[in-house]
Each structure stands twice: as structure tokens, then as C-alpha cells.
Amino acid sequence: MSGEALLKAVRAGHTVEAAGLLDGMTDGERRSCLPGLKELRKELRAAPWNAASRVAHPALHAAGAACHTGAAGAATWIAAADMRWSQASPGVLLHVLGDRETDWLADLTHRLAARPATSRIPFALLSGLVGLSGCEVPTTDAYVQGWFEHIGASWHSGGTVAQRLRQEPHLPRMIAALFESLDVTGRIAWLFGDGPGSWYNALAELAEEGTLDRKVLVDACVARLLRGGAPADQRLFLRLLSCLAPTRDEERERSADWTALACEAVPPVAWHAQSVLASLALDGELTPRQLAEMSSGVLFRTEKKLVRAQLILLGKVLKRDPSTADVLLPAVAQAFGHEDTEVQERALKLVERHVSALDDSGDTRDRLDGCAAELSPGLRIRARRSLGIEALDSDSAAHEEVLPPVPERARLAAAPDSAAELAEEVSALLASDGGVAAFERTLDGLVRHAHRDRAALVEALGPVVARCWWKDLDPRHSTTSVRFREAPHGLEVVLAALFEQVGMDTLHAAVQQGTTNGNCRHSALSRAVDARLWEVAYRLRAEPMPFLLATPTWATGSLEPDELVARLTEYRRLDARPGAADFAQSLLRVRRDDRATAEPAAARARALGSPEGYRLAQWLTADAPVLPVSRRRTAGVRILLELGELEEIQGSFPPEFRQLGRPFTVFKDRRYCRHWDVAERQHWQAVVPGRRELVAARLLRDISMVAVDDSRADAAILPLLAEADGTAGEALHLCLAYGLGARHPEDRLAAVDALLILAARGQLDAGLLGADVGELVRRGAVKPSRLAESIRTAAATGAYATVWSVLRDLLPALLADLSADGASGSSVRGLGELLTVAADCAERSGARGDLTHLAGAAGRRGSSKVAVQARRLRTALTQEAAA
């Protein structure tokens, strides 16, 4: 009866009544109640959140904890996620568990404390269990976090933080646990606050009065800083250490720790460690070798503030005691390898100032000479002169230009021989959107195998298409037709046609009428790709083709004339009818730039006597393809291009291809565009191989978005355009200019890759690119700071002469704005960084000559970055001796 009464009380939500019934039960009676409680729990899990039955949760939580006679089961029940937000109060749980043995309660306590903090076990329950069991206080993350939050939330009980901490019996153990935990600190940092009543001051006060061991706290702070971690954690322990205010003796005892922190810690901690060591050094409490050891690490850091402060410290010590030069100057020379040339020059000036204090053995001078090899060429010459070593002239110091190898054209492999191998490649393409080569050979493989043995192909592809969205839909359903009419979705329309999951009426309408989508700046390219896919899908069902004519010979999309003639010959032999879109694409892809190959191929094509043969012969013997007339237009801060008409891609081509030759304007295309997937753009270059300007002009607005609108990944196409065939004209160079000013690093890297590829192929017009970038910077489309990062990255590969050739035409426009605007103006922000890269490139490439408006910038007063780097660039260009 007691079990039934308990279940009735629990179901009614009467927690107090249930607790009273549990008080009189034996362990056996409690165990017998568990099945009923578990059934009720299962019932509540399925109930809606607002069901009336959910009132039973607190009573169920308490009853289940009490009826588990094992500590593991009780801990699992108490911490259950499904009752986390409707638990019994800690007081009720302590009441129903209070009659257990102390060992059992201790086991339960540590099991609950070991749960992650996200389990939200109330600290009042954990601390109450510690009191009932008399066990050792846990130091798990959950318990430590709960303890700190408990102290921090006790403001309503009155007293300061220090007063509340004095009343805690486990204070030293909890504070020690804070330093040991890696996860708790970040979650409780907000508790520490600011002001006189903060935790920092409270702990310092307790350490001062002896309640806490001061030495232990100082050692723990330093150890935690040495361990590293999140910056927020490091700031907390640094703040606590500052409040503890270590004495000079305590600081001197830990000089090795300060050195490690100055060299390796996050900047705020390193700055504090550096200031401590600087004070010790200036008071003569740090040996020269200790200071040299510290300096060798600090001067390798990228934070300029730390490096400059270290050089200042070394200068003060050297001035006070010149005899330390043999120990400290090699440490100063570590800064010769710093990426910032201003830091290099500061270090060199320090060496020049104290080099006379070196002994006569020459060992230190040799070490300094070895370090001088890391300096920029201009400073390197100056350093060798200062050290009394025969100086190299500036020409011999110039580096040899390093460019990446010219990309080699890759020939497409033949289509897979077996249906099983083809199915594997189809699966890979569906998962990863492969490049032109993988797509074209797989598409050709589908056509070949469907012509050879369609049933075997369908069987092999069955597992591959099992998860395609169209696989189990009724082909007569309008959803399938509508989605495919909007876009063929790459290979999917071909596969769906092969499995008869798209109706013949849909396929026929697409072949006859083309796409249903409106015009946008990409539609000329996408319609050509889609037309060929629709045709392949339709012919698989109506009249299978033996193979495709337009499958390219090379991965760039180009097709060799002899290969196309051979394919037409085989079509003639098989009496097969070529597809109109497939043949049109083959014409656009066939190479006509080599007359020695094109003219014999044209003769053989004409001899076939077929309409396609005559058409190919006419195409091969026509004039070489020309670029349409282009015209620059502006749209806001953007510079865009419009293209004129190409008459040769007009009447003799299918309607879906003619738009490629029609005039392209930047103001008349529709705003809606479905071509948001950047992966499909890699196939557009293969539509018109050898005419990449047609593609670049249509992608120009998209690529401009990486600089103007901070979009991501739109510049990923740039390396492919750089590797493609054809003239590199205005459109491609404008695309490259926008990419160099991209918001995101991956887009800037893509632009740098494209720049280097063009340079390696001898196709980079550095003057055009420099002028374009300069104009975009002045219009506000490209930010100089981003541009400087890209240019610096390109130069770091060893392409100093190439980068200088771009900067030579870029800088005059920005320097002219500097003269007009004084020290301000949006087009000159970041100019100092660009001048730094330019000076480095000029020194390393041996560039000479004059640069318009450079003299005015170099003549500016003061030590601003623009003035200093302008003077350095002028020195490099005029071969003046460095001052």
C-alpha cells in the first residue's frame, strides 16, 4: 500500500507528502517502487511541455533519488537531463537522502561533483551532501565553479567578499583548485569584477593577513601564467598577481619565469614580464647574459611594441655599461631578422652606436656579420660598412627573381571502361563538384555506357543515386519537372533521365525552348552549359549518342582539331546524328591558333561530306578569334566592363549559344540571379576556352564583391582564369585588382596565386594592373591595408621584381593624393605599408629610377611611417648611401 500511496502522491505533485511516505520505507520497499516511478518518467517524457501531468516532476525527482539504493543509480537519476529544469529543491533531496550511510553519501557526492558543469547540479545540494557525509570536499570543475558562484551570489547575506571568504572552512583548497582547473576560470571571470571590493583585492587582503599563504598564491599565479591558456584566463591571473604586488626579492627569485613569459606569453603578460625584467636590469640585478637570453626571445616576437621596448632597454643598459657590448650586441642583432624594416633599422642604429665598444678579437663582429644577412639589402650594406667589413654593392645584394613554375596543360584521361568504375566517379562528382576534367570525362562516360549497355549502367549506378532527391519521386509529379526546368543541377538531370525519373515532355521542352530562367550577367555562360546537359539527357532516352564530340582534349577545355575530326569520322561511320548543342560546344572549344594543325584538319573535315564536316572546315579556316570591343563603366565605387558584339557566335549557332556573342552591358541584366554557387563557375571557362576575357567580364561584378561588399569565396576562380588560355586583358586584370583587395585571406591568396601564375606565363601587364589598383584605391573600392597584405604575401614568395613592377605604376597616384590631402584622405590610409613593401622590393630586386611624387613624400618632416619608408624607397632607387 505504501508503494501505491507514493506513486499517487508523486503523480499529484505532492512533494512534501511523498517525502513523508519515503521516511518510513525500508530499502526493499523503496526498490519495489522504482518500476512504477520509471514508467511515470517515461510517460512524462512523451507529454507536451504544457501538460498538467508535468506537475509531478519535482516529486518524481525526489522519489526516484530516494528509491535508488545504489549511489551510481541515484546520481544518474538526480543528474538526468529530462528533469533538469523541474528538479526537487536541494533541501528536499537532502531530507530524503539524509538517512543513508556516510560512505554511501560520500560516494554519491563525488559522483555528482564529477558531472560536467553543464549538468547544473545545484551547489547547495553538493555542499549539503559534503556536510552530511563528512567527506573531503571535491575539487572538480563543477564543484569549484559552484563554490565561486555561491560566494559571489552571497551579496544578499551582507559583508564584503573578503568577509565571506574568511567564513569558508575550505577556502585554501578551493583557491588552489581554481589555479589547477583549465575550464573554470573563463566561466567565473565575470565574478571577479573591479574596485576595492573585488575578488582580486579580497584575495590580496587575505594573503596579507595570513589567512591565505602569500607565497603559494604568487607561485600559483606565475605557474598558471607559464601554463598559458585563453587570453581572458591569463588576464585574470595577471590582475591577481598585480594585486598581490610581489616584492623585489620575490621578482628577482623568479627571473627565469619572467624571461619565459616575456618570450612566450600572450602580449599583456609578456609586457608585464618585460617591465619586471627591465626594472631588474636597470637596477643591476640582472646579469648581461640573462638580459641577452631574454632579448633573444623577445626580439623574435611579432608585437612591435614589445620589440621596440626591448631595444630601448638594451640601449639604456649599453649606454650605462659599454663593457656589455660583446654580450648584448649579438642579442640586439636578433632583431635583424624581424619582418618590420623599421625594427631592423632601430636595431642596426643601436649596433652602430656601440660597435666601437667591442673587443679586438673579432668573434663578435663575425657573429654580427652573420646576423646582418637577415637585414634588407639596403640595411645589409650599411651594416657591413659599420662593422668595417668590405661592403657589397647594391646590385650584388639583389635577389634573383623567383616565380612559380608555369602550369602544364593536363590531358584528359579516357572515360572509364567499366560501369562500376564510372559509378565511382559519378559518386565522387555528386559529393564534391569536381573540376572540368573530372566532369567532362564522366559525362562522356555516361553517354558511352548508355549507348553500349544501358541496363548494366543503371544497375551500377543504383546505389550511387539512392539518396538523390528525385530518386523515389513520381516522375509525373510537377515538383520534379519544375525543379529540373529551373536548372539541370549538373549531372543530376542526366542521371534522372537515365533512371526515367524526369518526363520526356520536360526533356523535350528544355531542348526546344532552353532554360526558363531570366537573364543575368552569367546567363550566357550557364545557358550554354545547361543546353548541352539537357541535350544529353534527352538523347539518352530518345536517340543515344555513341560518345560526345565536345569532350575537351585538355583540362583547360580546349579541343584539338585532329581529335574532333576523328570523332566526326566515327559518327559518319556509325551513321549517328550529332547533337546540336554538343557540336556547337565542340566548335567553341576547338583550337584555331595553330594554322599548321588547323588547315590539314579542315581539309579532312571537308572530305567527310557531312554538314558538320563542312561547318568545322569553315570554322577552322576562318580568322583567329578576336576579343569584342570593351568599354569601362562605373557603378558606385566599382569599375566594370561592357563588351561589344561577336558576330561569329551568332546565326550559325543554336539559340542558347548566341548570347555569348551578343553585347554585354552592366546595367540591363536582371537583379535576380540563381548562380550563387561558386563551384559551377569553374565550368564556364571551358565554354569558351581561349577567350577568358568573355568569362572575366561577366564575373567582374561578383569578384568586385570580395573587396567592396566583403563577400567570401568569389575570388576563388582567379587562379583558374590565370591558368586558362587566351589574352589577359582589361577584364582579367580588373578582377585581379579587386581580388588583391579582398576582405578575406583566402580570397587574397587566390588573387596572389593568379598574379604569380600570370607573371610566370609572361602574361601579366604590371602597368595595367598597377594603374587599375591605384584607381580602385582612390575610388574607395579597395582598402590599402588589405592590398598591402596581398602585395607583401606575393613579394614574400621571392617575386620582388614582379611586385615592384606593379607598385611602380600604383604608387604615383596615391603619392599624388598624399600631396593634395596632406596627412589625411581615404586613398592614402595604409600608404605607409605599401611603401614598406615597395622599398623592400626595390632593394631586393635592384630597381632604379625615379618615381613621380616620391620626393615630396620623402621630404615630409617627422618620423611617420610614410615619411620614413618614402625616404628608404628613394634611397634604394637612387643608390644613395644610407644615412
Side-chain angles (χ1 to χ4, degrees):
M1 287 297 294
S2 58
E4 294 179 3
L6 177 64
L7 285 174
K8 183 178 179 181
V10 168
R11 187 176 290 276
H14 297 161
T15 306
V16 175
E17 181 183 349
L21 292 171
L22 287 166
D23 287 343
M25 288 186 181
T26 64
D27 285 351
E29 291 174 331
R30 292 184 178 186
R31 281 194 297 268
S32 67
C33 294
L34 267 180
L37 294 173
K38 290 180 179 179
E39 286 296 323
L40 177 57
R41 180 182 176 186
K42 185 183 300 184
E43 177 186 328
L44 293 179
R45 282 176 183 165
W49 66 270
N50 57 351
S53 59
R54 286 190 170 269
V55 71
H57 262 299
L60 176 63
H61 188 241
C67 290
H68 277 86
T69 55
T76 301
W77 184 278
I78 292 171
D82 58 323
M83 290 186 285
R84 186 169 300 164
W85 305 109
S86 300
Q87 296 182 358
S89 68
V92 171
L93 288 173
L94 292 172
H95 173 79
V96 298
L97 297 172
D99 58 352
R100 298 288 184 177
E101 296 179 356
T102 56
D103 290 345
W104 190 95
L105 290 172
D107 187 11
L108 175 64
T109 302
H110 286 282
R111 287 180 183 275
L112 290 175
R115 296 271 175 169
T118 52
S119 296
R120 307 303 299 171
I121 306 297
F123 177 75
L125 173 62
L126 293 175
S127 60
L129 289 172
V130 169
L132 287 175
S133 65
C135 67
E136 186 176 357
V137 63
T139 56
T140 62
D141 287 352
Y143 194 90
V144 173
Q145 179 178 340
W147 183 85
F148 274 91
E149 290 176 347
H150 167 70
I151 298 295
S154 297
W155 57 268
H156 57 272
S157 61
T160 64
V161 173
Q163 291 170 342
R164 294 197 295 272
L165 288 175
R166 289 190 187 98
Q167 300 171 7
E168 287 295 317
H170 307 295
L171 175 62
R173 184 172 175 82
M174 288 294 98
I175 298 300
L178 171 67
F179 290 99
E180 295 170 2
S181 173
L182 292 177
D183 299 322
V184 170
T185 310
R187 293 196 292 265
I188 65 171
W190 63 274
L191 286 170
F192 277 63
D194 294 308
S198 69
W199 275 79
Y200 302 107
N201 291 311
L203 292 175
E205 181 181 338
L206 295 179
E208 190 67 26
E209 67 187 30
T211 304
L212 290 172
D213 191 319
R214 173 188 171 77
K215 184 178 185 303
V216 169
L217 280 182
V218 173
D219 286 341
C221 284
V222 174
R224 186 58 190 264
L225 293 174
L226 286 169
R227 182 192 294 184
D233 295 356
Q234 296 285 280
R235 285 193 293 270
L236 186 151
F237 293 109
L238 177 61
R239 175 82 176 277
L240 178 56
L241 181 64
S242 299
C243 287
L244 291 171
T247 65
R248 178 49 61 94
D249 290 338
E250 290 173 331
E251 290 178 339
R252 185 171 51 252
E253 291 170 1
R254 296 169 177 82
S255 59
D257 296 331
W258 303 129
T259 299
L261 291 173
C263 298
E264 303 292 340
V266 296
V269 177
W271 180 256
H272 175 80
Q274 185 187 48
S275 64
V276 172
L277 290 171
S279 178
L280 291 172
L282 293 175
D283 289 345
E285 299 185 66
L286 207 64
T287 67
R289 295 206 174 275
Q290 288 176 315
L291 179 58
E293 178 186 356
M294 167 212 177
S295 301
S296 297
V298 173
L299 294 177
F300 268 112
R301 296 186 67 114
T302 57
E303 297 87 1
K304 298 175 187 177
K305 180 180 178 182
L306 284 168
V307 173
R308 285 195 295 266
Q310 192 66 23
L311 291 174
I312 292 172
L313 171 62
L314 288 166
K316 290 180 179 179
V317 175
L318 284 165
K319 182 178 180 180
R320 187 188 63 189
D321 186 3
S323 65
T324 60
D326 283 284
V327 176
L328 296 183
L329 286 186
V332 172
Q334 298 298 318
F336 289 175
H338 199 277
E339 62 180 11
D340 189 340
T341 55
E342 290 186 32
V343 170
Q344 293 182 14
E345 188 169 12
R346 280 175 177 266
L348 179 56
K349 285 181 178 180
L350 190 56
V351 170
E352 290 172 336
R353 193 176 302 127
H354 298 281
V355 68
S356 60
L358 295 175
D359 60 28
D360 298 330
S361 65
D363 293 341
T364 305
R365 292 178 184 269
D366 291 340
R367 291 173 63 189
L368 293 176
D369 181 45
C371 293
E374 300 295 326
L375 289 166
S376 64
L379 294 177
R380 192 184 317 151
I381 296 170
R382 173 175 151 185
R384 292 177 68 88
R385 289 172 180 166
S386 301
L387 294 171
I389 302 171
E390 182 181 355
L392 299 171
D393 59 36
S394 57
D395 290 330
S396 62
H399 286 210
E400 182 179 353
E401 183 75 351
V402 178
L403 291 173
V406 177
E408 296 183 2
R409 290 194 301 175
R411 182 180 285 271
L412 258 68
D417 289 331
S418 68
E421 183 183 356
L422 176 62
E424 291 180 1
E425 299 206 4
V426 170
S427 178
L429 272 178
L430 291 178
S432 63
D433 293 325
V436 171
F439 179 83
E440 290 290 344
R441 69 188 297 267
T442 303
L443 182 63
D444 185 48
L446 288 171
V447 172
R448 290 175 182 270
H449 281 276
H451 183 268
R452 185 188 310 165
D453 189 346
R454 178 178 173 178
L457 177 61
V458 169
E459 182 180 359
L461 290 173
V464 174
V465 303
R467 294 187 178 181
C468 290
W469 62 270
W470 44 263
K471 179 61 176 65
D472 296 321
L473 294 179
D474 186 344
R476 296 169 297 181
H477 198 280
S478 61
T479 302
T480 306
S481 298
V482 169
R483 287 190 64 179
F484 274 124
R485 286 291 285 120
E486 290 177 351
H489 303 284
L491 285 182
E492 293 213 33
V493 72
V494 178
L495 297 171
L498 190 64
F499 281 81
E500 300 185 3
Q501 288 296 114
V502 56
M504 281 296 292
D505 55 340
T506 300
L507 295 173
H508 184 264
V511 171
Q512 294 298 317
Q513 302 169 16
T515 182
T516 60
N517 284 321
N519 291 330
C520 67
R521 56 185 174 272
H522 312 111
S523 59
L525 297 163
S526 65
R527 282 182 173 180
V529 175
D530 293 351
R532 188 157 166 255
L533 289 170
W534 281 116
E535 183 179 77
V536 169
Y538 175 73
R539 291 289 295 272
L540 283 179
R541 298 274 295 277
E543 186 184 356
M545 296 180 286
F547 50 82
L548 293 176
L549 295 172
T551 303
T553 306
W554 306 100
T556 58
S558 61
L559 173 60
E560 292 296 329
D562 291 339
E563 195 165 340
L564 179 54
V565 172
R567 292 173 185 174
L568 284 175
T569 301
E570 182 65 11
Y571 260 71
R572 184 74 167 170
R573 186 186 70 80
L574 296 172
D575 194 25
R577 180 174 66 88
D582 186 37
F583 180 63
Q585 180 63 88
S586 69
L587 291 180
L588 290 175
R589 285 178 172 173
V590 70
R591 291 182 58 211
R592 296 188 286 168
D593 54 351
D594 185 359
R595 288 297 176 184
T597 302
E599 291 180 0
R604 292 194 299 274
R606 189 177 292 107
L608 291 175
S610 64
E612 291 78 18
Y614 285 120
R615 179 74 180 90
L616 175 59
Q618 181 186 20
W619 183 259
L620 289 174
T621 54
D623 293 335
V626 296
L627 290 176
V629 177
S630 62
R631 180 175 63 160
R632 291 196 172 207
R633 300 293 297 271
T634 58
V637 298
R638 289 177 170 86
I639 300 174
L640 304 174
L641 281 182
E642 294 185 332
L643 301 179
E645 187 176 27
L646 278 176
E647 293 185 2
E648 65 175 356
I649 311 180
Q650 290 300 316
S652 58
F653 279 83
E656 294 296 282
F657 286 80
R658 293 174 193 166
Q659 193 174 353
L660 289 166
R662 290 175 183 160
F664 170 69
T665 176
V666 297
F667 297 114
K668 293 184 179 179
D669 62 315
R670 296 186 181 179
R671 294 183 64 85
Y672 172 74
C673 176
R674 70 170 180 83
H675 306 99
W676 52 268
D677 185 4
V678 296
E680 67 177 303
R681 297 176 187 174
Q682 63 184 323
H683 299 285
W684 293 347
Q685 177 57 42
V687 174
V688 281
R691 303 179 193 240
R692 56 182 164 186
E693 283 290 288
L694 294 180
V695 180
R698 287 173 167 82
L699 290 176
L700 184 55
R701 181 180 285 273
D702 299 273
I703 295 176
S704 73
M705 293 171 66
V706 301
V708 179
D709 302 317
D710 294 349
S711 69
R712 189 189 294 269
D714 285 298
I717 192 69
L718 285 176
L720 294 179
L721 289 175
E723 293 176 3
D725 298 326
T727 302
E730 279 188 293
L732 182 54
H733 281 79
L734 269 173
C735 288
L736 187 55
Y738 284 116
L740 292 173
R743 162 67 176 82
H744 298 286
E746 59 268 31
D747 288 308
R748 293 199 297 269
L749 286 175
V752 169
D753 287 344
L755 184 151
L756 297 176
I757 291 169
L758 288 175
R761 299 181 69 185
Q763 297 174 339
L764 178 67
D765 188 334
L768 175 60
L769 178 60
D772 284 344
V773 173
E775 188 172 357
L776 290 175
V777 170
R778 299 179 75 183
R779 293 180 63 86
V782 168
K783 295 182 179 179
S785 57
R786 299 175 183 174
L787 175 63
E789 185 67 28
S790 298
I791 293 295
R792 184 183 297 110
T793 301
T797 66
Y800 297 106
T802 298
V803 172
W804 167 248
S805 66
V806 175
L807 290 170
R808 183 180 55 209
D809 291 277
L810 162 64
L811 289 173
L814 305 186
L815 291 171
D817 287 344
L818 179 67
S819 301
D821 296 340
S824 62
S826 60
S827 63
V828 299
R829 295 193 187 104
L831 179 57
E833 296 295 331
L834 286 173
L835 286 170
T836 300
V837 181
D840 196 39
C841 290
E843 290 174 347
R844 294 179 184 274
S845 65
R848 299 293 178 265
D850 189 23
L851 197 65
T852 308
H853 302 297
L854 178 61
R860 293 165 65 90
R861 295 180 179 179
S863 58
S864 67
K865 194 176 190 71
V866 169
V868 170
Q869 294 303 322
R871 289 193 284 269
R872 178 186 165 209
L873 177 58
R874 184 181 61 178
T875 298
L877 294 176
T878 58
Q879 300 188 60
E880 294 180 3

